[in-house]
């Protein structure tokens, strides 16, 4: 095909064609992106031709650069790169080859830009180098991109090399394609190369459970990734660690699976910590037995087992009888050793299917499964009682404790874990009250007593608000004068439209539930008001005694509470006498004495009640800042039947009076008791022989009338 513009003879002359050709060439050169040049091969690279692209590339006009008119191209080239450029061009000249070189120049505005220069030498007819021709282009953008890519690669390479997590790529067949140093160290290898050289099959060489690799693949295929995939893995030395993997699938553009990549974390320490926390949360740290947190779960398992096999199970609630005394007197180290021995003995008395749980303190629960009959159960319980009661050798000393056990049976005594535990606990308290070192099985009678207790506790919580309590007063008589010298305030409870409830039915419940604190404060306040009222009516003080329960006495603010009541009622402190049972001493003798002194500083009278049957000793008695000893009624009531009590009563009177403390005999009901106690010099009496406890109005009338008769 003949094109018109290729037929110059028909359009142009030779001269015009040459001119047009030159014009087209000039246009082409001027429009090329970059600087087309020709330089002499001299020391300054004297540029004898420069295209108009010079301005955009260097910031200088072509005329400024040609023949070094304003500046030479050598000067534009960054000084640090000049020798490199010259060396490369010289090498090309020597090799008679083209060259390509990248370097930096300084633009007229001061910016440093990267350029790429491509060219070739020009030789004369003798083969001598004359000049160099070529093109120089701005490659700053490409260099920036390359630098960014290089920086990114360096950054991620640094992350890969220095990451504390293991990083991997694995083939679908189970070979490592790439691992970082952290993963190698995690598995016990010196380098990534050693690890990859050793592993040929991840499934069999890495995972303790060979099925984990298949689970890894199935999970990642299903979700395209996986997170927190935990497994046990072998290290190089054969030890086992726990690892957690996060991974994803990598595919090519066609969607074909290339490899799996992800990270690995050694979570052995964390898992051990979690397991330890879980163990601590579910086991007693001292004995290693399951604790209260695990009890419900184990108990429910036993119930489910009983339902499945249509048999019974039992809950045995066990409390050590003498543990507190030993623990407090001999120290917690001995107490802990004793608990360890007991835990071991209890565990040895049961079968593998049974469970011993330590609730805390000296309380244990034993879950006994698969019970055929009550006889087999009681045989096991008797074996436990015998084992517990055997002497324990601790620090070369023998310690002997017994235990009280309460038993409830599923399903007769409850179908819920909480009900079974509550009923076993109730039966255990019955065992305590039955003399200890025995067991009691929950019965309907016990259930009725429990129901009554719950009802009394419920009513007791409302009784103060409903003003259902009253104080009775039992007068005390001075042996020497025959006059009323004081009284003891005794609480009575009369719910609306119900019969009077005796103190022995509710005081212990109030003590156990903590209600005794509010109740005791009410009693003291009411007694103080009455003492104040009597003083105003009689014209002289008549001390009124109030019993302080063990729980009240252990209150840290007891002295402040008493002082506040005295201030509120404006009663003289010596008109109030506080009676503390001797058994309170067992908890903390030093604290007991300290509290007595703090009360004495207020100015109130103090008396030790039920003296002679408690836990105090003569060594302590001399330290008690008390005013009275009240002889326990047990010595008085059996005076006629047991003459040995005469010697005890004489001794108490002598000891008390020698320590300058008045001695009061309570529970005097016969003339013989009265005459004998008067004969041995007892100071005061209290009992039915003189007067029984009287309601407030009757007591007040008695006192006023007695006062009038005495004055007459």
């Amino acid at each position: 095909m003949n094109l018109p513009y290729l037929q110059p003879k028909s359009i142009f002359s030779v001269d015009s064609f040459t001119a047009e050709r030159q014009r087209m060439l000039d246009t082409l050169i001027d429009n090329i992106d970059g600087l087309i040049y020709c330089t002499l091969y001299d020391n300054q690279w004297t540029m004898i031709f420069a295209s108009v692209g010079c301005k955009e590339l260097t910031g200088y006009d072509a005329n400024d650069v040609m023949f070094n008119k304003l500046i030479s191209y050598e000067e534009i080239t960054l000084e640090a790169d000049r020798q490199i450029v010259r060396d490369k061009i010289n090498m090309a000249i020597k090799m008679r080859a083209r060259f390509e070189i990248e370097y930096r120049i300084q633009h007229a505005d001061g910016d440093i830009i990267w350029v790429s220069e491509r060219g070739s030498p020009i030789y004369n007819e003798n083969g001598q180098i004359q000049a160099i021709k070529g093109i120089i282009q701005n490659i700053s953008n490409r260099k920036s991109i390359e630098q960014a890519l290089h920086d990114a690669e360096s950054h991620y390479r640094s992350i890969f090399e220095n990451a504390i997590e293991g990083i991997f790529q694995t083939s679908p067949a189970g070979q490592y394609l790439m691992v970082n140093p952290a993963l190698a160290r995690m598995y016990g290898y010196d380098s990534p190369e050693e690890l990859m050289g050793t592993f040929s099959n991840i499934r069999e060489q890495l995972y303790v459970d060979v099925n984990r690799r298949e689970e890894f693949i199935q999970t990642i295929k299903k979700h395209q990734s996986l997170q927190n995939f935990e497994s046990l893995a072998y290290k190089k030395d054969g030890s086992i660690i726990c690892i957690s993997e996060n991974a994803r699938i990598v595919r090519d553009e066609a969607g074909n699976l290339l490899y799996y990549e992800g990270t690995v974390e050694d979570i052995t320490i964390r898992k051990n910590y979690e397991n330890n926390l879980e163990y601590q949360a579910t086991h007693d740290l001292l004995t290693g037995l399951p604790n209260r947190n695990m009890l419900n779960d184990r108990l429910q398992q036993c119930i489910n087992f009983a339902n499945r096999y249509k048999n019974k199970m039992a809950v045995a609630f066990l409390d050590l009888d003498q543990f507190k005394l030993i623990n407090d007197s001999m120290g917690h180290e001995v107490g802990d050793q004793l608990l360890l021995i007991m835990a071991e003995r209890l565990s040895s008395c049961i079968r593998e299917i049974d469970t011993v749980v330590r609730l805390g303190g000296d309380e244990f629960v034993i879950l006994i499964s698969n019970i055929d009959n009550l006889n087999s159960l009681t045989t096991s319980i008797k074996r436990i009682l015998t084992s517990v009661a055997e002497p324990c050798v601790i620090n070369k000393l023998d310690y002997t404790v017994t235990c009280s056990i309460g038993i409830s049976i599923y399903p007769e005594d409850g179908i819920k874990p909480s009900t079974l535990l509550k009923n076993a606990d109730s039966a255990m308290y019955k065992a305590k009250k039955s003399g200890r070192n025995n067991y009691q099985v929950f019965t309907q009678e016990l259930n009725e007593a429990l129901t009554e207790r719950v009802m009394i506790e419920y009513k007791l919580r409302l009784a103060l608000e409903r003003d259902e309590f009253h104080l009775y007063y039992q007068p005390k008589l001075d042996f020497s004068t025959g006059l009323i010298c004081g009284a003891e305030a005794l609480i009575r409870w009369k719910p609306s439209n119900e019969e009077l409830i005796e103190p022995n039915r509710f005081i212990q419940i109030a003590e156990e539930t903590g209600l005794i604190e509010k109740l005791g404060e009410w009693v003291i306040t009411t007694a103080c008001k009455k003492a104040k009222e009597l003083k105003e009516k009689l014209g002289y003080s008549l001390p009124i005694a109030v019993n302080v329960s063990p729980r009240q006495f252990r209150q840290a603010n007891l002295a402040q509470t008493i002082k506040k009541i005295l201030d509120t009622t404006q009663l003289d402190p010596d008109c109030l006498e506080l009676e503390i049972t001797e058994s309170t001493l067992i908890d903390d003798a030093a604290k007991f004495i300290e509290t007595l002194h703090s009360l004495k500083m207020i100015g109130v009278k103090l008396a030790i009640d039920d003296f002679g049957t408690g836990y105090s000793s003569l060594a302590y008695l001399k330290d008690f800042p008390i005013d009275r000893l009240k002889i326990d009624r047990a010595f008085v009531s059996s005076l006629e039947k047991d003459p040995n009590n005469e010697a005890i009563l004489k001794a108490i009177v002598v000891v008390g009076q020698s320590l300058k403390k008045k001695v009061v005999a309570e529970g005097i009901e016969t003339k013989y008791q009265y005459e004998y106690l008067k004969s041995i010099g007892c100071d005061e009496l209290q009992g039915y022989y003189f007067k029984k406890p009287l309601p407030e109005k009757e007591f007040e009338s008695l006192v006023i009338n007695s006062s009038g008769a005495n004055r007459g």
Side-chain angles (χ1 to χ4, degrees):
M1 182 176 181
N2 295 324
L3 298 176
Y5 64 84
L6 293 179
Q7 300 176 15
K9 289 184 178 180
S10 62
I11 302 174
F12 304 108
S13 64
V14 173
D15 291 339
S16 63
F17 178 78
T18 301
E20 180 62 22
R21 184 172 178 273
Q22 184 62 44
R23 187 188 65 79
M24 290 177 64
L25 183 59
D26 290 343
T27 301
L28 179 62
I29 290 173
D30 289 344
N31 284 281
I32 287 178
D33 183 20
L35 167 64
I36 296 177
Y37 71 90
C38 181
T39 67
L40 298 177
Y41 184 64
D42 59 14
N43 291 334
Q44 290 79 34
W45 299 108
T46 302
M47 195 168 284
I48 60 175
F49 175 78
S51 68
V52 296
C54 181
K55 178 69 174 179
E56 184 177 356
L57 181 69
T58 68
Y60 298 98
D61 290 333
N63 291 332
D64 294 337
V65 176
M66 285 193 297
F67 300 103
N68 305 327
K69 182 177 181 181
L70 180 63
I71 191 169
S72 70
Y73 191 77
E74 177 82 2
E75 294 178 76
I76 295 174
T77 303
L78 210 64
E79 185 176 1
D81 294 350
R82 291 173 190 171
Q83 190 60 45
I84 298 173
V85 173
R86 188 171 289 276
D87 290 344
K88 285 220 172 184
I89 292 176
N90 286 336
M91 180 60 69
I93 292 170
K94 182 178 180 181
M95 301 295 295
R96 307 182 76 84
R98 295 179 61 81
F99 64 84
E100 183 172 353
I101 185 170
E102 295 176 358
Y103 57 92
R104 293 163 295 174
I105 66 173
Q106 186 169 23
H107 194 272
D109 62 10
D111 288 344
I112 304 299
I113 61 176
W114 276 92
V115 297
S116 172
E117 181 177 348
R118 301 189 304 277
S120 59
I122 299 174
Y123 303 93
N124 60 20
E125 61 274 10
N126 297 321
Q128 295 174 331
I129 180 68
Q130 295 293 308
I132 300 168
K133 62 180 180 179
I135 183 171
I136 305 172
Q137 293 177 303
N138 188 338
I139 60 169
S140 293
N141 287 340
R142 177 169 66 81
K143 277 294 187 178
S144 295
I145 294 172
E146 288 177 355
Q147 187 63 43
L149 290 173
H150 179 268
D151 291 345
E153 182 180 355
S154 297
H155 175 69
Y156 289 110
R157 172 58 60 181
S158 176
I159 292 175
F160 181 79
E161 296 291 341
N162 298 301
I164 59 174
E165 288 185 327
I167 302 175
F168 68 87
Q169 288 181 349
T170 61
S171 69
Q175 290 83 37
Y176 279 115
L177 303 176
M178 181 178 67
V179 300
N180 71 336
L183 187 65
R185 289 193 300 271
M186 188 181 303
Y187 293 155
Y189 293 87
D190 294 331
S191 66
E193 292 73 23
E194 183 187 9
L195 172 60
M196 290 189 291
T198 302
F199 275 79
S200 59
N201 189 322
I202 293 175
R203 177 181 182 271
E204 296 179 358
Q205 292 177 274
L206 177 65
Y207 295 106
V208 174
D209 180 357
V210 293
N211 296 319
R212 287 303 277 171
R213 178 64 179 181
E214 185 60 32
E215 293 172 15
F216 174 97
I217 293 173
Q218 293 303 320
T219 302
I220 204 169
K221 283 183 176 180
K222 181 178 180 181
H223 302 288
Q224 301 303 304
S225 65
L226 57 76
Q227 292 182 331
N228 303 321
F229 187 79
E230 296 182 2
S231 310
L232 294 177
Y234 288 113
K235 292 183 66 174
K236 178 181 178 181
D237 61 6
S239 60
I240 296 174
I241 60 174
C242 187
I243 61 172
S244 176
E245 297 178 90
N246 296 317
R248 70 184 185 96
I249 292 178
V250 178
R251 301 181 184 275
D252 61 17
E253 294 180 356
N256 299 313
L257 172 62
L258 293 177
Y259 51 81
Y260 307 116
E261 69 176 10
T263 60
V264 183
E265 182 183 0
D266 182 350
I267 59 171
T268 307
I269 295 176
R270 191 188 81 198
K271 293 299 288 186
N272 289 340
Y273 179 72
E274 289 174 355
N275 292 337
N276 188 43
L277 284 181
E278 182 179 356
Y279 181 85
Q280 291 180 17
T282 56
H283 288 76
D284 175 53
L285 296 183
L286 175 64
T287 63
L289 295 174
N291 64 11
R292 185 185 297 271
N293 293 332
M294 192 182 282
L295 175 59
N296 279 342
D297 179 67
R298 289 287 179 91
L299 181 48
Q300 188 61 58
Q301 289 182 29
C302 290
I303 290 173
N304 295 341
F305 184 87
N307 290 335
R308 186 180 302 117
Y309 295 100
K310 308 299 181 185
N311 55 28
K312 300 180 181 182
M313 61 84 55
V315 176
F317 202 111
L318 182 149
D319 184 272
L320 300 178
D321 293 328
Q322 294 86 15
F323 175 76
K324 183 173 178 57
L325 179 61
I326 295 174
N327 191 58
D328 289 348
S329 60
M330 302 306 296
H332 295 304
E333 181 181 353
V334 171
D336 288 349
Q337 290 297 317
L338 189 59
L339 288 172
L340 284 168
I341 294 171
M342 289 300 125
E344 184 177 346
R345 288 183 182 180
L346 294 176
S347 299
S348 67
C349 288
I350 64 171
R351 303 162 298 176
E352 289 187 2
I353 62 172
D354 301 330
T355 302
V356 179
V357 175
R358 184 189 175 204
L359 286 187
D362 59 351
E363 292 181 333
F364 297 83
V365 170
I366 304 173
L367 307 179
I368 305 174
S369 300
N370 195 22
I371 298 174
D372 296 325
N373 53 64
L374 191 59
N375 288 335
S376 63
L377 173 62
T378 55
T379 299
S380 299
I381 297 300
K382 288 177 180 178
R383 183 168 61 249
I384 291 171
L385 286 169
T386 302
S387 179
V388 169
E390 293 177 0
C392 304
V393 180
I394 303 173
N395 297 333
K396 299 181 180 180
L397 295 176
D398 284 353
Y399 297 91
T400 301
V401 297
T402 57
C403 65
S404 300
I405 304 175
I407 302 168
S408 63
I409 300 174
Y410 175 85
E412 289 92 329
D413 300 331
I415 58 175
K416 293 182 178 180
S418 57
T419 304
L420 290 167
L421 286 168
K422 180 184 68 175
N423 291 342
D425 189 19
S426 300
M428 185 274 291
Y429 275 106
K430 183 180 178 183
K432 287 276 189 187
K433 293 178 180 179
S434 299
R436 307 185 180 191
N437 193 25
N438 72 96
Y439 69 90
Q440 296 291 328
V441 179
F442 185 78
T443 62
Q444 185 59 36
E445 178 185 0
L446 185 60
N447 186 42
E448 291 172 0
L450 180 62
T451 302
E452 180 187 14
R453 175 197 163 91
V454 172
M455 185 58 65
I456 287 177
E457 182 180 337
Y458 171 74
K459 291 180 178 179
L460 196 57
R461 294 184 183 277
L462 302 175
L464 272 175
E465 298 176 12
R466 295 175 176 175
D467 197 24
E468 294 177 351
F469 291 109
H470 308 278
L471 287 187
Y472 277 42
Y473 298 89
Q474 186 172 31
K476 293 190 289 185
L477 196 68
D478 189 307
F479 269 114
S480 62
T481 64
L483 302 176
I484 296 175
C485 59
E488 180 179 359
L490 302 167
I491 192 169
R492 297 293 184 265
W493 181 15
K494 178 65 173 65
S496 179
N497 300 321
E498 293 185 31
E499 295 182 355
L500 197 71
I501 299 178
E502 294 296 326
N504 59 6
R505 292 179 60 194
F506 68 85
I507 290 296
Q508 185 59 37
I509 296 174
E511 181 82 13
E512 292 171 1
T513 58
L515 293 171
I516 195 69
E517 295 177 7
K518 285 186 177 180
L519 190 57
E521 189 172 336
W522 177 87
V523 171
I524 295 172
T525 302
T526 305
C528 285
K529 289 178 180 178
K530 190 62 190 176
K532 176 69 174 177
E533 184 181 327
L534 285 174
K535 183 176 181 180
E536 292 173 352
K537 291 182 179 180
L538 297 173
Y540 61 89
S541 298
L542 188 69
I544 293 183
V546 176
N547 280 290
V548 178
S549 77
R551 183 161 186 153
Q552 276 181 282
F553 194 77
R554 287 191 292 268
Q555 284 181 279
N557 62 340
L558 177 61
Q560 294 92 319
T561 300
I562 299 295
K563 189 175 186 310
K564 182 179 177 181
I565 292 172
L566 291 170
D567 291 342
T568 301
T569 59
Q570 296 184 333
L571 179 68
D572 292 337
D574 61 358
C575 289
L576 175 64
E577 181 172 282
L578 301 178
E579 296 184 0
I580 300 101
T581 55
E582 188 184 359
S583 58
T584 308
L585 174 64
I586 189 175
D587 290 327
D588 189 339
K591 183 66 177 175
F592 180 86
I593 296 171
E594 180 185 338
T595 303
L596 288 178
H597 280 285
S598 65
L599 291 170
K600 193 62 182 172
M601 288 178 65
I602 298 173
V604 297
K605 302 293 185 183
L606 298 175
I608 296 295
D609 197 14
D610 300 334
F611 184 79
T613 59
Y615 300 90
S616 68
S617 67
L618 295 179
Y620 280 125
L621 187 58
K622 64 181 177 58
D623 297 323
F624 293 167
I626 59 172
D627 303 282
R628 285 177 173 77
L629 291 179
K630 295 190 71 174
I631 303 172
D632 190 274
R633 67 179 61 245
F635 297 114
V636 176
S637 62
S638 59
L639 191 57
E640 291 94 338
K641 297 178 182 178
D642 188 357
N644 290 326
N645 283 343
E646 292 183 1
I648 294 175
L649 290 170
K650 282 182 181 180
I652 293 175
V653 170
V654 170
V655 169
Q657 291 178 346
S658 66
L659 293 172
K660 296 181 172 50
K661 305 179 191 304
K662 287 188 177 295
V663 180
V664 183
E666 57 181 344
I668 296 178
E669 298 181 357
T670 66
K671 183 177 181 181
Y672 178 82
Q673 295 167 2
Y674 172 83
E675 294 292 348
Y676 178 76
L677 285 159
K678 184 177 181 180
S679 70
I680 62 174
C682 187
D683 297 298
E684 299 172 1
L685 73 91
Q686 181 182 341
Y688 278 26
Y689 180 74
F690 174 53
K691 286 293 179 183
K692 65 180 182 180
L694 300 171
E696 179 185 350
K697 295 299 181 183
E698 292 183 29
F699 169 69
E700 184 177 314
S701 296
L702 173 67
V703 172
I704 292 174
N705 291 335
S706 297
S707 176
N710 292 333
R711 286 197 299 270

